[in-house]
Protein backbone atom coordinates (compact mmCIF):
# COMPACT_ATOMS: atom_id res chain seq x y z
CA UNK A 1 0.00 0.00 0.00
CA UNK A 2 1.52 3.31 -1.07
CA UNK A 3 2.07 5.88 1.66
CA UNK A 4 3.07 8.71 -0.66
CA UNK A 5 1.45 12.11 -0.31
CA UNK A 6 0.39 14.25 -3.24
CA UNK A 7 0.83 17.95 -3.91
CA UNK A 8 -1.29 19.37 -6.73
CA UNK A 9 0.09 22.09 -9.01
CA UNK A 10 -2.63 23.95 -10.90
CA UNK A 11 -1.19 25.17 -14.21
CA UNK A 12 -2.21 28.61 -15.50
CA UNK A 13 0.07 28.46 -18.54
CA UNK A 14 3.38 29.39 -16.96
CA UNK A 15 6.63 28.56 -18.72
CA UNK A 16 8.04 27.49 -15.35
CA UNK A 17 5.31 25.09 -14.21
CA UNK A 18 7.41 21.97 -14.81
CA UNK A 19 10.22 23.55 -12.82
CA UNK A 20 7.90 23.86 -9.83
CA UNK A 21 7.18 20.14 -10.10
CA UNK A 22 10.86 19.31 -10.36
CA UNK A 23 11.72 21.36 -7.26
CA UNK A 24 8.98 19.65 -5.25
CA UNK A 25 10.08 16.19 -6.36
CA UNK A 26 13.70 17.01 -5.59
CA UNK A 27 12.46 17.33 -2.01
CA UNK A 28 11.14 13.73 -2.32
CA UNK A 29 7.49 14.76 -2.32
CA UNK A 30 5.21 13.51 -5.09
CA UNK A 31 3.29 16.10 -7.10
CA UNK A 32 1.04 16.25 -10.13
CA UNK A 33 0.46 19.09 -12.60
CA UNK A 34 -3.21 19.57 -13.46
CA UNK A 35 -4.97 22.13 -15.68
CA UNK A 36 -6.36 25.13 -13.79
CA UNK A 37 -9.85 23.99 -14.86
CA UNK A 38 -9.63 20.70 -12.93
CA UNK A 39 -12.76 20.18 -10.89
CA UNK A 40 -12.66 20.41 -7.12
CA UNK A 41 -14.14 16.91 -6.98
CA UNK A 42 -11.20 15.56 -8.99
CA UNK A 43 -8.78 17.31 -6.65
CA UNK A 44 -10.56 15.89 -3.65
CA UNK A 45 -10.15 12.36 -5.05
CA UNK A 46 -6.38 12.85 -5.01
CA UNK A 47 -6.49 13.82 -1.31
CA UNK A 48 -3.79 16.48 -1.72
CA UNK A 49 -1.62 17.56 1.18
CA UNK A 50 -1.18 20.96 -0.46
CA UNK A 51 -1.95 22.94 -3.62
CA UNK A 52 0.36 25.22 -5.61
CA UNK A 53 -1.05 27.81 -8.01
CA UNK A 54 1.44 28.38 -10.83
CA UNK A 55 2.34 31.58 -12.57
CA UNK A 56 0.91 32.53 -15.95
CA UNK A 57 1.04 35.18 -18.68
CA UNK A 58 -2.44 36.65 -18.11
CA UNK A 59 -3.92 39.43 -16.00
CA UNK A 60 -6.54 38.35 -13.47
CA UNK A 61 -8.84 41.01 -14.93
CA UNK A 62 -8.55 39.77 -18.51
CA UNK A 63 -11.65 38.48 -20.29
CA UNK A 64 -10.05 35.10 -20.88
CA UNK A 65 -8.00 34.98 -17.69
CA UNK A 66 -7.69 31.39 -16.42
CA UNK A 67 -9.47 31.03 -13.09
CA UNK A 68 -10.01 28.00 -10.92
CA UNK A 69 -13.13 27.13 -8.98
CA UNK A 70 -13.00 29.32 -5.82
CA UNK A 71 -13.89 26.22 -3.81
CA UNK A 72 -10.19 25.30 -4.12
CA UNK A 73 -9.77 27.49 -1.05
CA UNK A 74 -12.38 25.46 0.83
CA UNK A 75 -10.55 22.14 0.57
CA UNK A 76 -8.87 22.72 3.91
CA UNK A 77 -5.31 22.26 2.62
CA UNK A 78 -2.37 24.71 2.45
CA UNK A 79 -2.13 26.79 -0.73
CA UNK A 80 0.90 28.53 -2.23
CA UNK A 81 0.28 31.05 -5.01
CA UNK A 82 3.26 31.93 -7.22
CA UNK A 83 3.22 35.18 -9.26
CA UNK A 84 -0.09 34.99 -11.19
CA UNK A 85 -1.11 32.38 -8.63
CA UNK A 86 -0.64 34.89 -5.81
CA UNK A 87 -2.62 37.53 -7.68
CA UNK A 88 -5.44 35.12 -8.52
CA UNK A 89 -5.71 33.84 -4.95
CA UNK A 90 -5.84 37.38 -3.59
CA UNK A 91 -8.34 38.46 -6.26
CA UNK A 92 -10.67 35.49 -5.68
CA UNK A 93 -10.54 36.00 -1.90
CA UNK A 94 -11.39 39.72 -2.06
CA UNK A 95 -8.06 41.49 -2.60
CA UNK A 96 -7.16 43.97 -5.34
CA UNK A 97 -4.67 43.68 -8.20
CA UNK A 98 -3.55 46.56 -10.42
CA UNK A 99 -1.29 47.16 -13.38
CA UNK A 100 2.18 47.93 -12.09
CA UNK A 101 3.85 51.27 -12.84
CA UNK A 102 6.32 49.30 -14.91
CA UNK A 103 6.78 45.66 -15.72
CA UNK A 104 9.33 43.82 -13.66
CA UNK A 105 11.36 41.06 -15.28
CA UNK A 106 14.61 39.91 -13.77
CA UNK A 107 16.48 40.04 -10.46
CA UNK A 108 15.02 41.85 -7.45
CA UNK A 109 15.68 42.00 -3.73
CA UNK A 110 13.11 40.65 -1.29
CA UNK A 111 13.16 42.03 2.25
CA UNK A 112 11.90 39.59 4.88
CA UNK A 113 9.37 41.47 7.04
CA UNK A 114 8.10 38.50 9.04
CA UNK A 115 9.74 35.04 8.87
CA UNK A 116 6.62 32.91 9.21
CA UNK A 117 5.41 29.89 7.25
CA UNK A 118 7.23 29.75 3.91
CA UNK A 119 9.76 32.34 5.11
CA UNK A 120 10.81 30.52 8.31
CA UNK A 121 14.27 29.70 6.83
CA UNK A 122 15.07 33.44 6.86
CA UNK A 123 15.57 36.22 9.42
CA UNK A 124 13.61 39.43 9.97
CA UNK A 125 15.15 42.18 7.87
CA UNK A 126 17.18 39.73 5.79
CA UNK A 127 17.40 40.51 2.08
CA UNK A 128 17.48 37.72 -0.49
CA UNK A 129 17.82 37.72 -4.26
CA UNK A 130 14.68 36.64 -6.17
CA UNK A 131 13.51 36.50 -9.78
CA UNK A 132 10.51 38.57 -10.82
CA UNK A 133 8.39 38.23 -13.96
CA UNK A 134 5.16 40.22 -13.78
CA UNK A 135 3.24 43.16 -15.16
CA UNK A 136 0.50 43.40 -12.49
CA UNK A 137 0.93 43.60 -8.74
CA UNK A 138 -1.16 43.10 -5.62
CA UNK A 139 -2.21 46.37 -3.96
CA UNK A 140 -4.85 45.37 -1.36
CA UNK A 141 -4.87 42.22 0.76
CA UNK A 142 -7.87 39.94 1.28
CA UNK A 143 -9.23 39.64 4.80
CA UNK A 144 -7.01 37.50 7.03
CA UNK A 145 -3.79 38.12 5.07
CA UNK A 146 -0.76 40.17 6.08
CA UNK A 147 2.48 41.17 4.42
CA UNK A 148 5.53 39.06 5.24
CA UNK A 149 7.93 40.23 2.50
CA UNK A 150 8.37 43.19 0.17
CA UNK A 151 10.47 44.46 -2.73
CA UNK A 152 11.04 47.86 -4.28
CA UNK A 153 8.40 47.42 -6.98
CA UNK A 154 6.13 44.97 -5.17
CA UNK A 155 5.27 46.08 -1.62
CA UNK A 156 3.22 42.88 -1.18
CA UNK A 157 5.77 40.52 -2.67
CA UNK A 158 5.08 37.86 -0.02
CA UNK A 159 1.81 37.50 1.86
CA UNK A 160 0.38 35.07 4.38
CA UNK A 161 -2.81 33.95 6.07
CA UNK A 162 -1.15 31.57 8.57
CA UNK A 163 -4.45 30.49 10.11
CA UNK A 164 -5.69 29.00 6.81
CA UNK A 165 -2.11 28.22 5.67
CA UNK A 166 -2.48 30.34 2.53
CA UNK A 167 0.68 31.96 1.18
CA UNK A 168 1.44 34.04 -1.89
CA UNK A 169 4.67 35.28 -3.49
CA UNK A 170 5.15 37.61 -6.45
CA UNK A 171 8.47 36.06 -7.47
CA UNK A 172 9.54 32.65 -8.79
CA UNK A 173 11.24 30.38 -6.20
CA UNK A 174 11.52 27.51 -8.69
CA UNK A 175 14.14 29.13 -10.98
CA UNK A 176 17.88 29.06 -10.33
CA UNK A 177 17.88 32.86 -10.34
CA UNK A 178 16.20 32.70 -6.91
CA UNK A 179 19.17 31.06 -5.16
CA UNK A 180 17.29 30.15 -1.97
CA UNK A 181 14.02 29.34 -3.65
CA UNK A 182 14.31 25.66 -2.76
CA UNK A 183 14.49 26.60 0.93
CA UNK A 184 11.18 28.41 0.57
CA UNK A 185 9.55 25.50 -1.28
CA UNK A 186 10.75 23.01 1.35
CA UNK A 187 9.40 25.25 4.11
CA UNK A 188 5.98 25.16 2.42
CA UNK A 189 6.11 21.38 1.95
CA UNK A 190 7.41 20.38 5.37
CA UNK A 191 6.75 23.22 7.84
CA UNK A 192 3.40 24.39 6.44
CA UNK A 193 1.90 21.29 4.79
CA UNK A 194 3.54 18.64 6.97
CA UNK A 195 4.56 16.46 4.04
CA UNK A 196 6.90 13.50 4.48
CA UNK A 197 9.91 13.12 2.12
CA UNK A 198 8.93 9.60 1.05
CA UNK A 199 8.86 9.95 -2.76
CA UNK A 200 12.06 8.02 -3.56
CA UNK A 201 13.17 5.69 -6.37
CA UNK A 202 12.85 2.75 -3.98
CA UNK A 203 9.29 3.61 -2.98
CA UNK A 204 8.37 4.16 -6.62
CA UNK A 205 9.72 0.75 -7.61
CA UNK A 206 7.80 -0.99 -4.83
CA UNK A 207 4.56 0.76 -5.82
CA UNK A 208 5.06 0.09 -9.54
CA UNK A 209 5.77 -3.61 -9.07
CA UNK A 210 2.72 -3.96 -6.84
CA UNK A 211 0.48 -2.17 -9.37
CA UNK A 212 1.75 -4.20 -12.35
CA UNK A 213 1.39 -7.47 -10.45
CA UNK A 214 -2.16 -6.59 -9.43
CA UNK A 215 -3.13 -5.55 -12.99
CA UNK A 216 -1.92 -8.62 -14.91
CA UNK A 217 -3.65 -11.95 -14.27
CA UNK A 218 -1.39 -15.01 -13.66
CA UNK A 219 -2.26 -16.51 -17.07
CA UNK A 220 -1.78 -13.26 -19.04
CA UNK A 221 1.34 -12.10 -20.89
CA UNK A 222 2.69 -8.65 -21.60
CA UNK A 223 4.57 -7.34 -24.65
CA UNK A 224 7.20 -4.62 -24.61
CA UNK A 225 8.60 -2.84 -27.67
CA UNK A 226 12.22 -2.54 -26.58
CA UNK A 227 14.38 0.08 -28.27
CA UNK A 228 17.48 -0.10 -26.10
CA UNK A 229 16.94 3.49 -24.97
CA UNK A 230 16.77 4.58 -21.34
CA UNK A 231 12.97 4.73 -21.07
CA UNK A 232 12.11 1.42 -22.70
CA UNK A 233 14.98 -0.38 -20.92
CA UNK A 234 13.97 0.84 -17.45
CA UNK A 235 10.29 0.10 -18.19
CA UNK A 236 11.21 -3.41 -19.34
CA UNK A 237 13.40 -4.23 -16.31
CA UNK A 238 10.73 -2.85 -13.96
CA UNK A 239 8.02 -4.97 -15.57
CA UNK A 240 10.29 -8.00 -15.57
CA UNK A 241 10.65 -7.61 -11.79
CA UNK A 242 6.88 -7.94 -11.53
CA UNK A 243 6.15 -10.50 -14.25
CA UNK A 244 9.27 -12.54 -14.99
CA UNK A 245 9.11 -14.39 -18.32
CA UNK A 246 5.47 -13.41 -18.80
CA UNK A 247 6.98 -10.20 -20.18
CA UNK A 248 8.06 -10.67 -23.81
CA UNK A 249 10.32 -7.95 -25.21
CA UNK A 250 10.49 -7.46 -28.98
CA UNK A 251 13.56 -5.62 -30.25
CA UNK A 252 13.43 -4.66 -33.93
CA UNK A 253 16.51 -3.83 -35.99
CA UNK A 254 15.11 -1.22 -38.36
CA UNK A 255 18.31 -0.78 -40.34
CA UNK A 256 19.00 2.69 -38.94
CA UNK A 257 20.55 1.77 -35.60
CA UNK A 258 24.06 2.78 -34.59
CA UNK A 259 27.09 0.59 -35.19
CA UNK A 260 26.88 -2.66 -33.18
CA UNK A 261 23.79 -1.49 -31.33
CA UNK A 262 21.50 -4.41 -32.19
CA UNK A 263 24.01 -6.98 -30.95
CA UNK A 264 25.01 -4.95 -27.88
CA UNK A 265 21.46 -4.32 -26.63
CA UNK A 266 20.41 -7.93 -27.26
CA UNK A 267 23.40 -9.25 -25.29
CA UNK A 268 22.97 -6.80 -22.38
CA UNK A 269 19.26 -7.37 -21.94
CA UNK A 270 19.60 -11.14 -22.07
CA UNK A 271 22.77 -11.58 -20.04
CA UNK A 272 22.44 -8.82 -17.45
CA UNK A 273 18.67 -8.72 -16.95
CA UNK A 274 17.58 -12.18 -18.22
CA UNK A 275 14.75 -10.66 -20.24
CA UNK A 276 12.62 -12.86 -22.45
CA UNK A 277 13.81 -11.06 -25.58
CA UNK A 278 12.83 -11.65 -29.22
CA UNK A 279 15.37 -9.93 -31.55
CA UNK A 280 13.99 -9.22 -35.03
CA UNK A 281 16.25 -8.45 -38.00
CA UNK A 282 14.01 -6.38 -40.27
CA UNK A 283 16.71 -4.27 -41.94
CA UNK A 284 15.86 -5.33 -45.49
CA UNK A 285 12.17 -4.54 -45.08
CA UNK A 286 12.81 -1.07 -43.69
CA UNK A 287 15.44 -0.16 -46.28
CA UNK A 288 13.18 -1.28 -49.11
CA UNK A 289 10.35 0.89 -47.75
CA UNK A 290 12.68 3.88 -47.30
CA UNK A 291 14.18 3.66 -50.80
CA UNK A 292 13.92 6.96 -52.66
CA UNK A 293 12.50 8.91 -49.71
CA UNK A 294 14.31 12.10 -48.71
CA UNK A 295 11.58 14.12 -46.97
CA UNK A 296 12.13 13.86 -43.18
CA UNK A 297 8.45 13.62 -42.29
CA UNK A 298 7.98 10.83 -44.81
CA UNK A 299 10.97 9.02 -43.34
CA UNK A 300 9.44 9.18 -39.89
CA UNK A 301 6.02 8.04 -41.03
CA UNK A 302 7.45 5.23 -43.14
CA UNK A 303 9.56 3.92 -40.27
CA UNK A 304 6.57 4.16 -37.93
CA UNK A 305 4.32 2.27 -40.38
CA UNK A 306 6.80 -0.51 -41.08
CA UNK A 307 7.62 -0.82 -37.38
CA UNK A 308 3.97 -1.41 -36.58
CA UNK A 309 3.75 -4.05 -39.33
CA UNK A 310 6.83 -5.90 -38.10
CA UNK A 311 5.97 -5.56 -34.43
CA UNK A 312 2.39 -6.69 -34.99
CA UNK A 313 3.57 -9.78 -36.90
CA UNK A 314 5.83 -10.96 -34.08
CA UNK A 315 3.57 -9.86 -31.23
CA UNK A 316 0.77 -11.99 -32.69
CA UNK A 317 2.90 -15.05 -31.92
CA UNK A 318 2.80 -14.31 -28.18
CA UNK A 319 -0.05 -16.35 -26.74
CA UNK A 320 -2.58 -14.65 -24.46
CA UNK A 321 -0.90 -11.24 -24.70
CA UNK A 322 -3.20 -8.69 -23.09
CA UNK A 323 -0.97 -5.70 -22.36
CA UNK A 324 1.57 -3.51 -24.12
CA UNK A 325 4.32 -1.71 -22.19
CA UNK A 326 5.18 1.85 -23.26
CA UNK A 327 7.88 4.12 -21.87
CA UNK A 328 5.63 7.18 -21.63
CA UNK A 329 7.14 9.88 -19.40
CA UNK A 330 5.48 12.62 -17.37
CA UNK A 331 6.27 15.46 -19.83
CA UNK A 332 4.21 13.53 -22.43
CA UNK A 333 1.33 13.31 -19.97
CA UNK A 334 1.57 17.01 -19.12
CA UNK A 335 1.59 17.96 -22.80
CA UNK A 336 -1.60 15.98 -23.41
CA UNK A 337 -3.48 18.09 -20.83
CA UNK A 338 -1.66 21.38 -21.44
CA UNK A 339 -3.68 24.51 -20.68
CA UNK A 340 -2.18 26.01 -23.84
CA UNK A 341 -3.88 23.51 -26.11
CA UNK A 342 -2.24 21.18 -28.63
CA UNK A 343 1.31 22.05 -29.55
CA UNK A 344 2.22 22.64 -33.16
CA UNK A 345 3.43 19.50 -34.87
CA UNK A 346 7.16 20.07 -35.30
CA UNK A 347 7.76 16.44 -36.23
CA UNK A 348 5.93 13.16 -35.96
CA UNK A 349 6.76 11.19 -32.84
CA UNK A 350 7.90 7.63 -33.38
CA UNK A 351 6.66 5.24 -30.75
CA UNK A 352 4.30 2.29 -30.89
CA UNK A 353 1.37 4.60 -31.55
CA UNK A 354 -1.76 2.84 -32.78
CA UNK A 355 -0.68 -0.61 -31.64
CA UNK A 356 -2.82 -0.87 -28.49
CA UNK A 357 -6.02 -0.22 -30.47
CA UNK A 358 -5.07 -2.41 -33.44
CA UNK A 359 -4.11 -5.34 -31.27
CA UNK A 360 -6.77 -4.78 -28.61
CA UNK A 361 -4.12 -4.43 -25.92
CA UNK A 362 -4.33 -2.52 -22.66
CA UNK A 363 -1.47 -0.18 -21.85
CA UNK A 364 1.03 -0.46 -19.03
CA UNK A 365 2.98 2.80 -18.65
CA UNK A 366 5.08 2.30 -15.51
CA UNK A 367 7.09 5.51 -16.00
CA UNK A 368 4.26 7.93 -16.79
CA UNK A 369 4.72 9.70 -13.43
CA UNK A 370 8.43 10.36 -13.95
CA UNK A 371 10.70 12.98 -15.49
CA UNK A 372 13.77 11.78 -17.40
CA UNK A 373 16.18 12.28 -14.51
CA UNK A 374 13.81 10.36 -12.23
CA UNK A 375 13.76 7.47 -14.73
CA UNK A 376 17.54 7.34 -14.48
CA UNK A 377 17.35 7.35 -10.67
CA UNK A 378 14.93 4.43 -10.84
CA UNK A 379 17.31 2.62 -13.20
CA UNK A 380 20.10 3.21 -10.68
CA UNK A 381 17.96 1.77 -7.89
CA UNK A 382 17.20 -1.27 -10.08
CA UNK A 383 20.92 -1.91 -10.37
CA UNK A 384 21.10 -1.17 -14.09
CA UNK A 385 24.54 -0.35 -15.56
CA UNK A 386 25.54 3.29 -15.83
CA UNK A 387 26.11 2.94 -19.60
CA UNK A 388 22.48 1.89 -20.08
CA UNK A 389 20.65 4.41 -17.92
CA UNK A 390 22.87 7.39 -18.79
CA UNK A 391 22.95 6.63 -22.49
CA UNK A 392 22.29 9.65 -24.66
CA UNK A 393 18.75 9.89 -26.09
CA UNK A 394 18.44 8.32 -29.52
CA UNK A 395 15.49 9.12 -31.83
CA UNK A 396 13.01 6.41 -32.79
CA UNK A 397 13.71 6.91 -36.52
CA UNK A 398 17.39 6.50 -35.67
CA UNK A 399 20.05 7.48 -38.16
CA UNK A 400 17.40 8.05 -40.83
CA UNK A 401 16.92 11.60 -39.54
CA UNK A 402 20.64 12.19 -39.08
CA UNK A 403 21.44 11.05 -42.63
CA UNK A 404 19.86 13.90 -44.57
CA UNK A 405 18.53 13.26 -48.05
CA UNK A 406 18.03 9.82 -49.57
CA UNK A 407 19.14 6.84 -47.54
CA UNK A 408 21.39 4.09 -48.79
CA UNK A 409 23.39 1.35 -47.09
CA UNK A 410 26.56 3.13 -48.23
CA UNK A 411 25.64 6.52 -46.75
CA UNK A 412 24.40 4.93 -43.52
CA UNK A 413 27.70 3.06 -43.22
CA UNK A 414 29.60 6.33 -43.60
CA UNK A 415 27.46 7.97 -40.91
CA UNK A 416 27.84 5.02 -38.51
CA UNK A 417 31.62 5.27 -38.69
CA UNK A 418 31.60 9.03 -38.09
CA UNK A 419 29.10 8.67 -35.23
CA UNK A 420 31.26 5.98 -33.58
CA UNK A 421 34.25 8.35 -33.64
CA UNK A 422 32.19 11.13 -32.02
CA UNK A 423 31.07 8.73 -29.29
CA UNK A 424 34.60 7.41 -28.69
CA UNK A 425 36.20 10.85 -28.44
CA UNK A 426 33.49 12.39 -26.26
CA UNK A 427 33.92 9.46 -23.85
CA UNK A 428 37.73 9.64 -23.98
CA UNK A 429 37.54 13.34 -23.07
CA UNK A 430 35.42 12.49 -20.03
CA UNK A 431 32.52 14.59 -21.36
CA UNK A 432 29.92 11.93 -22.19
CA UNK A 433 27.88 12.48 -19.01
CA UNK A 434 28.34 16.25 -19.21
CA UNK A 435 26.37 16.62 -22.44
CA UNK A 436 22.79 15.64 -23.20
CA UNK A 437 23.52 14.36 -26.69
CA UNK A 438 26.51 14.22 -29.02
CA UNK A 439 26.32 12.73 -32.49
CA UNK A 440 27.23 13.04 -36.16
CA UNK A 441 24.97 14.18 -39.00
CA UNK A 442 25.68 13.42 -42.68
CA UNK A 443 24.70 16.13 -45.16
CA UNK A 444 24.08 15.52 -48.88
CA UNK A 445 26.34 18.49 -49.53
CA UNK A 446 29.55 17.80 -51.41
CA UNK A 447 32.57 20.04 -51.42
CA UNK A 448 36.05 19.97 -52.95
CA UNK A 449 38.93 18.78 -50.81
CA UNK A 450 42.54 17.71 -51.15
CA UNK A 451 43.94 14.48 -49.71
CA UNK A 452 47.58 13.91 -50.52
CA UNK A 453 47.90 15.03 -54.11
CA UNK A 454 44.37 13.99 -55.04
CA UNK A 455 41.26 16.08 -55.41
CA UNK A 456 38.21 14.85 -53.47
CA UNK A 457 34.54 15.69 -53.85
CA UNK A 458 32.77 14.23 -50.85
CA UNK A 459 29.99 14.86 -48.33
CA UNK A 460 29.94 17.00 -45.21
CA UNK A 461 29.69 15.77 -41.62
CA UNK A 462 28.18 17.96 -38.90
CA UNK A 463 29.03 17.26 -35.26
CA UNK A 464 26.17 18.16 -32.89
CA UNK A 465 26.54 18.29 -29.09
CA UNK A 466 24.04 19.95 -26.74
CA UNK A 467 23.44 20.42 -23.05
CA UNK A 468 19.93 20.05 -21.59
CA UNK A 469 18.00 18.68 -18.61
CA UNK A 470 14.92 17.34 -20.35
CA UNK A 471 15.36 17.92 -24.08
CA UNK A 472 12.62 20.57 -24.18
CA UNK A 473 15.23 23.32 -24.51
CA UNK A 474 18.92 22.90 -25.24
CA UNK A 475 22.08 24.92 -25.77
CA UNK A 476 25.03 23.90 -27.90
CA UNK A 477 27.87 22.44 -25.88
CA UNK A 478 31.10 24.44 -25.69
CA UNK A 479 33.41 21.52 -26.49
CA UNK A 480 37.15 22.20 -26.16
CA UNK A 481 38.77 23.27 -29.41
CA UNK A 482 41.37 20.51 -29.11
CA UNK A 483 38.57 17.94 -28.96
CA UNK A 484 36.85 19.42 -32.00
CA UNK A 485 40.14 19.34 -33.88
CA UNK A 486 40.64 15.69 -32.98
CA UNK A 487 37.08 14.81 -34.06
CA UNK A 488 37.58 16.53 -37.40
CA UNK A 489 40.95 14.91 -38.03
CA UNK A 490 39.78 11.40 -37.18
CA UNK A 491 36.54 11.60 -39.17
CA UNK A 492 38.21 12.95 -42.32
CA UNK A 493 41.14 10.55 -42.10
CA UNK A 494 39.21 7.41 -41.14
CA UNK A 495 35.84 7.74 -42.89
CA UNK A 496 35.94 7.51 -46.65
CA UNK A 497 33.16 9.65 -48.08
CA UNK A 498 33.62 12.68 -45.80
CA UNK A 499 36.12 15.45 -46.45
CA UNK A 500 34.69 18.31 -44.36
CA UNK A 501 33.53 18.50 -40.72
CA UNK A 502 31.55 21.38 -39.19
CA UNK A 503 30.23 22.02 -35.66
CA UNK A 504 26.59 23.00 -35.04
CA UNK A 505 26.29 26.03 -32.71
CA UNK A 506 22.48 26.36 -32.84
CA UNK A 507 20.37 26.28 -29.67
CA UNK A 508 16.84 24.91 -29.20
CA UNK A 509 14.81 26.97 -29.82
CA UNK A 510 14.99 28.14 -32.59
CA UNK A 511 16.66 24.97 -33.92
CA UNK A 512 15.75 21.44 -32.88
CA UNK A 513 18.28 19.04 -31.39
CA UNK A 514 17.93 16.63 -34.30
CA UNK A 515 18.39 17.90 -37.84
CA UNK A 516 15.22 16.31 -39.23
Amino acid sequence: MSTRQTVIILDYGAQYTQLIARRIRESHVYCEILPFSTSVDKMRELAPRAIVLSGGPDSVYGDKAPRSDPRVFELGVPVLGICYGEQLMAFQLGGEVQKSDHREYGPATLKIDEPVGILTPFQTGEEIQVWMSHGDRLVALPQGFRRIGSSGNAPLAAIADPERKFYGIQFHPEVVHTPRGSDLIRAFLFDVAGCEPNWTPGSFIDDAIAQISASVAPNERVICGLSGGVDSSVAAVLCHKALGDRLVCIFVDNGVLREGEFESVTHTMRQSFHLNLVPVDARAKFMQALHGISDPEQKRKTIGRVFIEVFEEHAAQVENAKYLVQGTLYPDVIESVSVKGPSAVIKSHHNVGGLPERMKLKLIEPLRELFKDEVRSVGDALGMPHDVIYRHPFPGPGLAIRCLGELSEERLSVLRKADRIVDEEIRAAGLYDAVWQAFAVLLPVRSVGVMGDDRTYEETCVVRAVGSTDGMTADWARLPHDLLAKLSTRIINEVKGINRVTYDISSKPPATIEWE
Side-chain angles (χ1 to χ4, degrees):
M1 182 74 177
S2 174
T3 58
R4 78 180 183 195
Q5 300 153 342
T6 300
V7 172
I8 291 175
I9 303 171
L10 292 182
D11 182 15
Y12 297 93
Q15 60 179 319
Y16 300 137
T17 301
Q18 286 198 35
L19 277 180
I20 300 172
R22 296 179 72 83
R23 297 295 172 261
I24 292 174
R25 291 187 176 195
E26 285 168 4
S27 299
H28 302 298
V29 175
Y30 178 70
C31 65
E32 288 190 21
I33 298 173
L34 300 176
F36 69 89
S37 55
T38 302
S39 71
V40 170
D41 290 339
K42 170 64 176 176
M43 293 184 221
R44 195 175 282 114
E45 287 175 12
L46 295 173
R49 289 299 295 259
I51 294 173
V52 177
L53 312 179
S54 85
D58 296 274
S59 167
V60 295
Y61 294 111
D63 292 338
K64 296 182 179 180
R67 297 178 187 171
S68 296
D69 188 326
R71 290 180 298 164
V72 166
F73 305 107
E74 299 172 9
L75 288 173
V77 300
V79 178
L80 172 63
I82 297 175
C83 199
Y84 178 85
E86 178 205 44
Q87 297 168 6
L88 181 66
M89 176 170 62
F91 172 76
Q92 291 190 303
L93 293 175
E96 184 180 350
V97 177
Q98 287 183 355
K99 283 285 185 187
S100 183
D101 294 337
H102 63 275
R103 295 181 177 184
E104 189 174 22
Y105 298 105
T109 299
L110 178 77
K111 180 182 178 183
I112 308 300
D113 296 317
E114 186 180 356
V116 299
I118 59 173
L119 297 186
T120 52
F122 312 103
Q123 303 295 320
T124 302
E126 184 178 355
E127 294 185 343
I128 62 172
Q129 182 181 338
V130 298
W131 186 262
M132 295 283 191
S133 179
H134 64 98
D136 294 356
R137 67 177 181 179
L138 180 62
V139 295
L141 291 174
Q143 186 174 355
F145 280 81
R146 62 180 187 261
R147 184 180 76 182
I148 59 173
S150 57
S151 72
N153 193 51
L156 300 175
I159 62 174
D161 179 342
E163 186 174 335
R164 288 185 288 180
K165 298 185 177 180
F166 292 168
Y167 293 86
I169 48 178
Q170 186 59 75
F171 55 92
H172 290 274
E174 69 274 22
V175 301
V176 295
H177 308 293
T178 301
R180 297 194 62 188
S182 292
D183 292 341
L184 184 152
I185 290 173
R186 284 194 291 269
F188 175 69
L189 296 173
F190 303 130
D191 299 338
V192 176
C195 293
E196 296 288 338
N198 56 14
W199 170 247
T200 64
S203 68
F204 170 82
I205 291 169
D206 291 341
D207 288 348
I209 290 174
Q211 290 173 10
I212 294 166
S213 300
S215 300
V216 182
N219 65 328
E220 294 177 333
R221 303 180 86 185
V222 176
I223 300 171
C224 175
L226 190 70
S227 71
V230 179
D231 306 334
S232 73
S233 296
V234 173
V237 172
L238 190 57
C239 289
H240 181 70
K241 290 277 188 184
L243 303 169
D245 282 350
R246 287 190 290 144
L247 173 72
V248 180
C249 296
I250 299 174
F251 180 32
V252 178
D253 187 345
N254 56 14
V256 286
L257 299 178
R258 288 173 288 198
E259 188 172 277
E261 186 167 19
F262 187 63
E263 297 77 12
S264 173
V265 170
T266 299
H267 179 268
T268 299
M269 291 301 164
R270 280 180 167 171
Q271 299 300 314
S272 299
F273 306 117
H274 311 293
L275 296 188
N276 184 0
L277 178 65
V278 179
V280 179
D281 183 352
R283 288 175 293 179
K285 185 167 185 174
F286 277 90
M287 292 310 297
Q288 182 179 4
L290 287 165
H291 180 72
I293 297 176
S294 58
D295 178 75
E297 192 66 4
Q298 280 301 109
K299 287 180 184 177
R300 288 176 175 273
K301 289 180 177 177
T302 300
I303 291 172
R305 173 180 58 78
V306 177
F307 176 82
I308 288 176
E309 292 172 1
V310 172
F311 190 90
E312 199 171 22
E313 176 188 345
H314 287 81
Q317 299 172 26
V318 180
E319 292 183 8
N320 209 29
K322 301 295 182 182
Y323 293 87
L324 178 71
V325 176
Q326 283 194 170
T328 307
L329 300 191
Y330 197 46
D332 303 320
V333 177
I334 296 169
E335 180 65 22
S336 69
V337 295
S338 170
V339 303
K340 303 173 187 176
S343 298
V345 177
I346 307 298
K347 58 191 178 186
S348 296
H349 192 70
H350 172 67
N351 204 317
V352 288
L355 275 174
E357 295 82 4
R358 287 168 63 109
M359 300 179 64
K360 297 182 172 59
L361 297 175
K362 300 174 186 176
L363 275 179
I364 293 178
E365 298 173 301
L367 309 179
R368 65 180 282 114
E369 297 174 334
L370 304 183
F371 289 101
K372 191 77 164 189
D373 57 328
E374 294 172 326
V375 173
R376 290 189 164 121
S377 296
V378 167
D380 256 331
L382 287 167
M384 298 177 68
H386 184 276
D387 285 351
V388 174
I389 57 177
Y390 287 93
R391 175 192 177 200
H392 288 176
F394 188 62
L399 298 180
I401 58 171
R402 294 178 180 175
C403 187
L404 277 60
E406 276 193 47
L407 300 178
S408 67
E409 291 285 7
E410 181 183 2
R411 295 190 72 229
L412 285 168
S413 177
V414 168
L415 178 56
R416 284 191 181 95
K417 292 173 184 175
D419 191 68
R420 174 178 49 78
I421 291 171
V422 172
D423 183 80
E424 288 175 354
E425 292 300 331
I426 293 288
R427 290 179 186 276
L431 294 174
Y432 187 84
D433 290 342
V435 298
W436 175 260
Q437 276 174 273
F439 54 90
V441 178
L442 185 64
L443 302 185
V445 176
R446 294 180 181 272
S447 62
V448 174
V450 178
M451 288 187 177
D453 294 325
D454 293 331
R455 173 186 184 274
T456 62
Y457 189 55
E458 295 176 334
E459 291 188 320
T460 302
C461 173
V462 177
V463 175
R464 176 77 157 144
V466 299
S468 182
T469 55
D470 51 21
M472 299 181 72
T473 61
D475 194 14
W476 61 278
R478 273 63 171 176
L479 298 183
H481 288 181
D482 288 349
L483 174 57
L484 292 174
K486 192 169 186 180
L487 285 170
S488 177
T489 299
R490 280 198 64 191
I491 290 171
I492 292 173
N493 286 347
E494 298 177 28
V495 184
K496 186 177 180 180
I498 295 173
N499 68 353
R500 191 176 298 270
V501 174
T502 67
Y503 188 57
D504 185 347
I505 59 170
S506 310
S507 297
K508 174 187 179 182
T512 55
I513 293 177
E514 300 293 342
W515 270 56
E516 289 189 339

